[in-house]
Amino acid sequence: MRPNGRRTTLADIAQAAGVSVATVSKVVNGRGDVAPHTRVRVQELLHRHDYLAPVFRHTEAVENPTIEVQFKGSLKSYVAETLEGIVDAAAESGASVVVSKASSAPHWARDLVSAGRRAVIAVTSVHTAAHLKELARSGLPLVVLDPLHLPDSRVHSVGATNFAGGLSATRHLLSLGHRRIAYLGGPAMAVCNQARMHGYRAAMEAEGAPVPEAYVRPGEFTYESGLAGAAELLDLDEPPTAVFAGNDEIALGVVETARARGLRVPEDLSVVGFDDTSLAQMASPPLTTVRQPLREMGAAALRTALRLANGEKAESHHIELATELVVRASTAPPPEGG
């Protein structure tokens, strides 16, 4: 197929499959007028011989590109709001968006190319070196929205000012008179979690407030993690009077654990979340939280993906949008003697 190490061509694939070059071209470009068994045969040969279609080398702009948006896990409020920003920006740009669960299937990136995708946006997903190699070989640019880990130098990303958000959340609790403030976060090694935690620690240190080791607890960005983490905090000999949670779901778990133990929020325990999803506004009481501009982040990721898909340079390798503290009814001064 590739004598003397030359790149496999459409003609090579066509000869091996016993079809015309035009038929192979239709498969590569995601056209529908190819018999199913022929399409499967051609795709197998394209995968086996690492064929890279010239149309996906990003030398020409495409008028109506299609962007693949991938996420892991369930479609929670956080993901839904970022997707809304992506979809709205795509509509304004004349682009199309296809939403899917992240795949680890062999040749998944080449399948996206065959289906006509021009770039991939991953919502928080962690892509391994193998994923990046597959994307690079397929010619698909990747933009990670709110990355869990420090992105590879080959990856563009969009995030928020997590350290500043952690700082403002903790300063708010300190300004109310709290000193026993705990941080209940997400995965310990997640970049966003570390930044929020460091913002919390910086505010506590600046105020001279102690941070007992038991007051900083990693977990998952889930409601269940909030339930369990809050129970551990409230079982301490000297429990906190306030909890800064790594996201809104964790915060709601904290509120429910407090309620189940007969504690009132915010009279007995103040709680601050992070994200400002719709959950924060619907909570009882409405949640004080740090707003991540999720829709704006989604829109920025879409615009970056379109630039890369058209062979243009992105404005920046990493874009950070500002967070903002939103004060509602879940925080108040600590109880007397707290």
Side-chain angles (χ1 to χ4, degrees):
M1 289 289 293
R2 287 185 284 184
N4 301 321
R6 70 176 177 85
R7 182 182 293 275
T8 300
T9 66
L10 283 180
D12 294 328
I13 300 295
Q15 182 178 5
V19 299
S20 68
V21 172
T23 297
V24 177
S25 179
K26 289 179 181 180
V27 174
V28 168
N29 290 288
R31 294 271 298 277
D33 51 340
V34 178
H37 68 279
T38 301
R39 180 181 302 278
V40 170
R41 173 62 177 154
V42 171
Q43 286 178 334
E44 287 177 349
L45 288 165
L46 291 168
H47 292 157
R48 187 184 309 164
H49 298 283
D50 294 329
Y51 177 77
L52 177 59
V55 70
F56 288 104
R57 291 179 194 157
H58 314 302
T59 56
E60 297 180 0
V62 174
E63 187 174 352
N64 301 112
T66 300
I67 307 299
E68 185 86 6
V69 180
Q70 297 185 334
F71 67 96
K72 288 186 177 180
S74 57
L75 185 58
K76 297 184 178 180
S77 181
Y78 168 90
V79 176
E81 292 188 30
T82 58
L83 288 179
E84 188 173 347
I86 292 171
V87 170
D88 287 347
E92 292 176 4
S93 305
S96 299
V97 170
V98 176
V99 180
S100 66
K101 291 287 189 78
S103 172
S104 57
H107 309 299
W108 62 274
R110 289 185 178 276
D111 288 340
L112 294 180
V113 170
S114 296
R117 310 294 187 262
R118 291 300 306 257
V120 175
I121 297 174
V123 182
T124 75
S125 300
V126 178
H127 280 73
T128 65
H131 286 130
L132 297 178
K133 183 177 180 181
E134 174 81 4
L135 284 165
R137 291 170 69 183
S138 300
L140 282 175
L142 170 67
V143 180
V144 181
L145 204 163
D146 205 9
L148 286 178
H149 297 300
L150 286 172
D152 184 280
S153 59
R154 295 167 289 178
V155 178
H156 290 77
S157 58
V158 177
T161 54
N162 290 295
F163 177 88
L167 195 69
S168 64
T170 311
R171 283 177 172 171
H172 169 65
L173 293 169
L174 288 165
S175 73
L176 293 172
H178 291 276
R179 290 299 179 271
R180 303 206 314 262
I181 305 170
Y183 175 69
L184 197 55
M189 298 309 295
V191 171
C192 58
N193 178 72
Q194 289 187 18
R196 293 167 198 176
M197 180 192 67
H198 289 315
Y200 153 81
R201 285 189 177 277
M204 295 291 280
E205 182 178 342
E207 193 68 18
V211 181
E213 183 178 347
Y215 274 23
V216 179
R217 294 177 180 268
E220 300 295 329
F221 287 123
T222 63
Y223 175 76
E224 293 75 17
S225 186
L227 291 173
E232 293 174 347
L233 288 172
L234 295 176
D235 282 339
L236 295 173
D237 292 337
E238 194 172 39
T241 61
V243 176
F244 168 35
N247 76 345
D248 291 343
E249 286 200 31
I250 295 173
L252 293 184
V254 174
V255 171
E256 174 56 24
T257 294
R259 186 203 62 78
R261 295 189 176 211
L263 299 176
R264 300 166 300 165
V265 175
E267 292 86 354
D268 301 315
L269 181 71
S270 287
V271 181
V272 179
F274 204 105
D275 285 341
D276 196 27
T277 60
S278 57
L279 295 174
Q281 301 171 47
M282 294 185 291
S284 181
L287 194 64
T288 294
T289 190
V290 176
R291 179 181 183 269
Q292 281 203 95
L294 299 176
R295 292 176 180 82
E296 294 90 335
M297 289 162 61
L302 189 282
R303 289 192 293 268
T304 300
L306 289 178
R307 288 191 184 96
L308 297 173
N310 288 329
E312 303 170 18
K313 293 192 69 173
E315 291 179 356
S316 175
H317 213 73
H318 177 68
I319 299 171
E320 275 196 351
L321 302 184
T323 53
E324 177 188 4
L325 180 69
V326 179
V327 179
R328 297 194 180 97
S330 67
T331 51
E336 289 187 17

PDB file of all heavy atoms in Angstrom, residues 18 21 24 27 53 63 87 101 107 113 158-159 164 169 177 181 214 234 247 255-256 285:
ATOM      1  N   GLY A  18     -11.418  -2.371  -4.244  1.00  0.00           N
ATOM      2  CA  GLY A  18     -12.081  -2.768  -5.471  1.00  0.00           C
ATOM      3  C   GLY A  18     -13.210  -1.831  -5.865  1.00  0.00           C
ATOM      4  O   GLY A  18     -14.220  -2.255  -6.421  1.00  0.00           O
ATOM      5  N   VAL A  21     -12.137   5.646  -7.152  1.00  0.00           N
ATOM      6  CA  VAL A  21     -11.609   6.715  -6.306  1.00  0.00           C
ATOM      7  C   VAL A  21     -12.741   7.624  -5.849  1.00  0.00           C
ATOM      8  O   VAL A  21     -12.755   8.107  -4.710  1.00  0.00           O
ATOM      9  CB  VAL A  21     -10.533   7.529  -7.067  1.00  0.00           C
ATOM     10  CG1 VAL A  21     -10.111   8.765  -6.268  1.00  0.00           C
ATOM     11  CG2 VAL A  21      -9.309   6.659  -7.362  1.00  0.00           C
ATOM     12  N   VAL A  24     -14.405   6.174  -2.744  1.00  0.00           N
ATOM     13  CA  VAL A  24     -13.578   6.377  -1.546  1.00  0.00           C
ATOM     14  C   VAL A  24     -13.690   7.830  -1.078  1.00  0.00           C
ATOM     15  O   VAL A  24     -13.792   8.114   0.118  1.00  0.00           O
ATOM     16  CB  VAL A  24     -12.110   6.007  -1.822  1.00  0.00           C
ATOM     17  CG1 VAL A  24     -11.244   6.308  -0.585  1.00  0.00           C
ATOM     18  CG2 VAL A  24     -11.989   4.535  -2.195  1.00  0.00           C
ATOM     19  N   VAL A  27     -16.800   8.405   0.934  1.00  0.00           N
ATOM     20  CA  VAL A  27     -16.695   7.881   2.298  1.00  0.00           C
ATOM     21  C   VAL A  27     -15.887   8.835   3.169  1.00  0.00           C
ATOM     22  O   VAL A  27     -16.273   9.152   4.301  1.00  0.00           O
ATOM     23  CB  VAL A  27     -16.056   6.478   2.303  1.00  0.00           C
ATOM     24  CG1 VAL A  27     -15.813   6.002   3.740  1.00  0.00           C
ATOM     25  CG2 VAL A  27     -16.938   5.481   1.568  1.00  0.00           C
ATOM     26  N   ALA A  53      -7.035  12.603   5.211  1.00  0.00           N
ATOM     27  CA  ALA A  53      -7.634  13.317   4.083  1.00  0.00           C
ATOM     28  C   ALA A  53      -7.093  14.736   3.984  1.00  0.00           C
ATOM     29  O   ALA A  53      -7.096  15.462   4.967  1.00  0.00           O
ATOM     30  CB  ALA A  53      -9.152  13.372   4.247  1.00  0.00           C
ATOM     31  N   GLU A  63     -17.343  26.880   4.918  1.00  0.00           N
ATOM     32  CA  GLU A  63     -18.414  27.848   5.157  1.00  0.00           C
ATOM     33  C   GLU A  63     -19.299  27.437   6.331  1.00  0.00           C
ATOM     34  O   GLU A  63     -19.668  28.261   7.172  1.00  0.00           O
ATOM     35  CB  GLU A  63     -19.251  28.004   3.889  1.00  0.00           C
ATOM     36  CG  GLU A  63     -20.287  29.115   4.015  1.00  0.00           C
ATOM     37  CD  GLU A  63     -21.002  29.354   2.704  1.00  0.00           C
ATOM     38  OE1 GLU A  63     -20.592  28.782   1.674  1.00  0.00           O
ATOM     39  OE2 GLU A  63     -21.981  30.119   2.713  1.00  0.00           O
ATOM     40  N   VAL A  87     -23.921  26.030  21.639  1.00  0.00           N
ATOM     41  CA  VAL A  87     -24.949  25.952  20.596  1.00  0.00           C
ATOM     42  C   VAL A  87     -25.362  27.352  20.132  1.00  0.00           C
ATOM     43  O   VAL A  87     -25.532  27.601  18.920  1.00  0.00           O
ATOM     44  CB  VAL A  87     -26.169  25.164  21.110  1.00  0.00           C
ATOM     45  CG1 VAL A  87     -27.337  25.267  20.142  1.00  0.00           C
ATOM     46  CG2 VAL A  87     -25.786  23.701  21.323  1.00  0.00           C
ATOM     47  N   LYS A 101     -21.101  11.492  23.808  1.00  0.00           N
ATOM     48  CA  LYS A 101     -20.302  11.055  24.945  1.00  0.00           C
ATOM     49  C   LYS A 101     -18.884  10.755  24.447  1.00  0.00           C
ATOM     50  O   LYS A 101     -18.696  10.223  23.346  1.00  0.00           O
ATOM     51  CB  LYS A 101     -20.898   9.794  25.579  1.00  0.00           C
ATOM     52  CG  LYS A 101     -22.218  10.016  26.294  1.00  0.00           C
ATOM     53  CD  LYS A 101     -22.016  10.763  27.593  1.00  0.00           C
ATOM     54  CE  LYS A 101     -23.291  10.798  28.424  1.00  0.00           C
ATOM     55  NZ  LYS A 101     -23.550   9.530  29.124  1.00  0.00           N
ATOM     56  N   HIS A 107      -9.750   4.283  16.658  1.00  0.00           N
ATOM     57  CA  HIS A 107      -9.931   5.141  15.478  1.00  0.00           C
ATOM     58  C   HIS A 107     -11.137   6.078  15.619  1.00  0.00           C
ATOM     59  O   HIS A 107     -11.723   6.496  14.626  1.00  0.00           O
ATOM     60  CB  HIS A 107     -10.080   4.296  14.212  1.00  0.00           C
ATOM     61  CG  HIS A 107      -9.002   3.270  14.023  1.00  0.00           C
ATOM     62  ND1 HIS A 107      -7.676   3.604  13.901  1.00  0.00           N
ATOM     63  CD2 HIS A 107      -9.068   1.909  13.983  1.00  0.00           C
ATOM     64  CE1 HIS A 107      -6.961   2.492  13.768  1.00  0.00           C
ATOM     65  NE2 HIS A 107      -7.768   1.469  13.830  1.00  0.00           N
ATOM     66  N   VAL A 113     -13.650  12.372  11.526  1.00  0.00           N
ATOM     67  CA  VAL A 113     -13.227  12.974  10.263  1.00  0.00           C
ATOM     68  C   VAL A 113     -14.095  12.457   9.122  1.00  0.00           C
ATOM     69  O   VAL A 113     -14.579  13.221   8.286  1.00  0.00           O
ATOM     70  CB  VAL A 113     -11.745  12.672   9.987  1.00  0.00           C
ATOM     71  CG1 VAL A 113     -11.372  13.087   8.567  1.00  0.00           C
ATOM     72  CG2 VAL A 113     -10.858  13.398  10.986  1.00  0.00           C
ATOM     73  N   VAL A 158     -10.253  26.656  27.469  1.00  0.00           N
ATOM     74  CA  VAL A 158     -11.015  27.793  27.983  1.00  0.00           C
ATOM     75  C   VAL A 158     -11.407  27.472  29.420  1.00  0.00           C
ATOM     76  O   VAL A 158     -11.904  26.381  29.705  1.00  0.00           O
ATOM     77  CB  VAL A 158     -12.288  28.050  27.150  1.00  0.00           C
ATOM     78  CG1 VAL A 158     -13.095  29.203  27.752  1.00  0.00           C
ATOM     79  CG2 VAL A 158     -11.928  28.350  25.704  1.00  0.00           C
ATOM     80  N   GLY A 159     -11.157  28.403  30.334  1.00  0.00           N
ATOM     81  CA  GLY A 159     -11.499  28.195  31.732  1.00  0.00           C
ATOM     82  C   GLY A 159     -11.937  29.486  32.385  1.00  0.00           C
ATOM     83  O   GLY A 159     -12.292  30.461  31.709  1.00  0.00           O
ATOM     84  N   ALA A 164      -9.155  33.270  41.892  1.00  0.00           N
ATOM     85  CA  ALA A 164      -9.853  34.491  42.318  1.00  0.00           C
ATOM     86  C   ALA A 164     -11.226  34.162  42.876  1.00  0.00           C
ATOM     87  O   ALA A 164     -11.688  34.788  43.842  1.00  0.00           O
ATOM     88  CB  ALA A 164      -9.975  35.454  41.140  1.00  0.00           C
ATOM     89  N   ALA A 169     -14.859  33.895  47.560  1.00  0.00           N
ATOM     90  CA  ALA A 169     -15.805  33.119  48.373  1.00  0.00           C
ATOM     91  C   ALA A 169     -15.376  33.102  49.830  1.00  0.00           C
ATOM     92  O   ALA A 169     -16.194  33.307  50.740  1.00  0.00           O
ATOM     93  CB  ALA A 169     -15.910  31.699  47.834  1.00  0.00           C
ATOM     94  N   GLY A 177     -17.603  37.267  59.641  1.00  0.00           N
ATOM     95  CA  GLY A 177     -17.152  36.943  60.987  1.00  0.00           C
ATOM     96  C   GLY A 177     -16.775  35.492  61.200  1.00  0.00           C
ATOM     97  O   GLY A 177     -16.375  35.099  62.307  1.00  0.00           O
ATOM     98  N   ILE A 181     -13.735  27.905  58.836  1.00  0.00           N
ATOM     99  CA  ILE A 181     -14.235  27.737  57.466  1.00  0.00           C
ATOM    100  C   ILE A 181     -13.547  26.525  56.844  1.00  0.00           C
ATOM    101  O   ILE A 181     -12.312  26.434  56.836  1.00  0.00           O
ATOM    102  CB  ILE A 181     -13.964  28.983  56.608  1.00  0.00           C
ATOM    103  CG1 ILE A 181     -14.552  30.232  57.274  1.00  0.00           C
ATOM    104  CG2 ILE A 181     -14.513  28.797  55.193  1.00  0.00           C
ATOM    105  CD1 ILE A 181     -14.113  31.533  56.620  1.00  0.00           C
ATOM    106  N   ALA A 214      -8.096  18.707  58.838  1.00  0.00           N
ATOM    107  CA  ALA A 214      -9.394  18.061  58.621  1.00  0.00           C
ATOM    108  C   ALA A 214     -10.403  18.970  57.939  1.00  0.00           C
ATOM    109  O   ALA A 214     -11.458  18.503  57.487  1.00  0.00           O
ATOM    110  CB  ALA A 214      -9.962  17.589  59.963  1.00  0.00           C
ATOM    111  N   LEU A 234     -18.985  17.723  60.039  1.00  0.00           N
ATOM    112  CA  LEU A 234     -19.858  17.996  61.178  1.00  0.00           C
ATOM    113  C   LEU A 234     -19.629  17.028  62.332  1.00  0.00           C
ATOM    114  O   LEU A 234     -20.081  17.291  63.455  1.00  0.00           O
ATOM    115  CB  LEU A 234     -21.326  17.965  60.729  1.00  0.00           C
ATOM    116  CG  LEU A 234     -21.712  19.063  59.730  1.00  0.00           C
ATOM    117  CD1 LEU A 234     -23.155  18.890  59.265  1.00  0.00           C
ATOM    118  CD2 LEU A 234     -21.510  20.453  60.328  1.00  0.00           C
ATOM    119  N   ASN A 247     -18.183  23.058  44.145  1.00  0.00           N
ATOM    120  CA  ASN A 247     -19.174  23.379  43.114  1.00  0.00           C
ATOM    121  C   ASN A 247     -20.556  23.375  43.742  1.00  0.00           C
ATOM    122  O   ASN A 247     -20.732  23.062  44.932  1.00  0.00           O
ATOM    123  CB  ASN A 247     -19.075  22.437  41.900  1.00  0.00           C
ATOM    124  CG  ASN A 247     -19.654  21.060  42.156  1.00  0.00           C
ATOM    125  OD1 ASN A 247     -19.899  20.669  43.302  1.00  0.00           O
ATOM    126  ND2 ASN A 247     -19.883  20.303  41.095  1.00  0.00           N
ATOM    127  N   VAL A 255     -25.851  21.292  52.323  1.00  0.00           N
ATOM    128  CA  VAL A 255     -27.107  21.836  52.847  1.00  0.00           C
ATOM    129  C   VAL A 255     -28.024  20.707  53.323  1.00  0.00           C
ATOM    130  O   VAL A 255     -28.642  20.787  54.396  1.00  0.00           O
ATOM    131  CB  VAL A 255     -27.814  22.694  51.780  1.00  0.00           C
ATOM    132  CG1 VAL A 255     -29.225  23.085  52.244  1.00  0.00           C
ATOM    133  CG2 VAL A 255     -26.990  23.950  51.483  1.00  0.00           C
ATOM    134  N   GLU A 256     -28.100  19.635  52.549  1.00  0.00           N
ATOM    135  CA  GLU A 256     -28.989  18.528  52.917  1.00  0.00           C
ATOM    136  C   GLU A 256     -28.492  17.793  54.161  1.00  0.00           C
ATOM    137  O   GLU A 256     -29.291  17.429  55.031  1.00  0.00           O
ATOM    138  CB  GLU A 256     -29.109  17.552  51.745  1.00  0.00           C
ATOM    139  CG  GLU A 256     -29.900  16.282  52.050  1.00  0.00           C
ATOM    140  CD  GLU A 256     -31.315  16.562  52.569  1.00  0.00           C
ATOM    141  OE1 GLU A 256     -31.872  17.643  52.291  1.00  0.00           O
ATOM    142  OE2 GLU A 256     -31.866  15.665  53.250  1.00  0.00           O
ATOM    143  N   PRO A 285     -32.087  27.274  51.191  1.00  0.00           N
ATOM    144  CA  PRO A 285     -32.238  28.628  50.656  1.00  0.00           C
ATOM    145  C   PRO A 285     -31.437  28.807  49.367  1.00  0.00           C
ATOM    146  O   PRO A 285     -30.520  28.018  49.093  1.00  0.00           O
ATOM    147  CB  PRO A 285     -31.659  29.487  51.783  1.00  0.00           C
ATOM    148  CG  PRO A 285     -30.599  28.624  52.386  1.00  0.00           C
ATOM    149  CD  PRO A 285     -31.158  27.230  52.360  1.00  0.00           C
TER     150      PRO A 285
END
